[in-house]
Amino acid sequence: MGIGHRIKSLTNPDKRCEIIKDYAKEHFSDNTVLKFALAVEQVTTKKKANLILNVDGCIAVCFVDMLRSCGAFSTEEANELVKNGCLNGLFVLGRSIGFIGHHLDQKRLKQGLYRHPWDDISYLNDSS
């Protein structure tokens, strides 16, 4: 969802987010959405330290700022791209690359794909 991390927090930041934020601040002419997200982070981390802007959220807000300020799109075109879900493809692509990486590692280590034990999986069935 863009906010929260199991391990990372304000005192233990995600280096990927730091790199992305620094790049956006240095290279994008407008950081309106990033600034807003960082303001939200200030509110959420007062509730719980790990409710930080995570890497997915950081990529998303910076991508919107880039679309809106790069000069290739009008504001209306950039907003339409976002509304139509063009960012969803980026996150599916990232997850796909990660899955492929896991697969290649397991092949290299001569291990099969991880399968969670069937007896530990609960299914909710309507038995009535």
Side-chain angles (χ1 to χ4, degrees):
M1 299 290 284
I3 295 283
H5 197 281
R6 274 190 219 161
I7 300 166
K8 302 298 181 182
S9 66
L10 284 178
T11 57
N12 180 27
D14 187 337
K15 298 292 184 203
R16 300 170 299 174
C17 289
E18 299 303 312
I19 292 168
I20 294 166
K21 288 187 284 190
D22 291 345
Y23 184 89
K25 289 174 184 176
E26 183 178 341
H27 296 285
F28 298 171
S29 61
D30 182 25
N31 298 114
T32 302
V33 183
L34 176 60
K35 289 175 185 172
F36 179 79
L38 293 174
V40 169
E41 179 183 64
Q42 291 303 307
V43 172
T44 57
T45 52
K46 286 180 181 167
K47 297 179 183 207
K48 195 172 179 186
N50 69 337
L51 292 177
I52 59 169
L53 181 64
N54 64 33
V55 72
D56 285 344
C58 190
I59 291 169
V61 299
C62 290
F63 201 89
V64 171
D65 281 338
M66 182 187 69
L67 281 175
R68 290 180 176 171
S69 67
C70 70
F73 306 100
S74 68
T75 302
E76 294 79 19
E77 290 170 328
N79 290 341
E80 185 177 352
L81 286 169
V82 172
K83 181 182 172 191
N84 290 336
C86 77
L87 295 177
N88 294 340
L90 288 177
F91 299 102
V92 170
L93 180 61
R95 296 299 186 266
S96 300
I97 291 168
F99 179 76
I100 291 167
H102 285 293
H103 175 74
L104 293 175
D105 272 350
Q106 289 174 322
K107 286 288 193 186
R108 179 181 57 82
L109 297 170
K110 297 181 179 26
Q111 297 174 348
L113 285 176
Y114 174 78
R115 304 277 186 217
H116 197 77
W118 282 99
D119 59 346
D120 191 40
I121 298 173
S122 298
Y123 292 98
L124 299 176
N125 292 323
D126 184 11
S127 57
S128 54

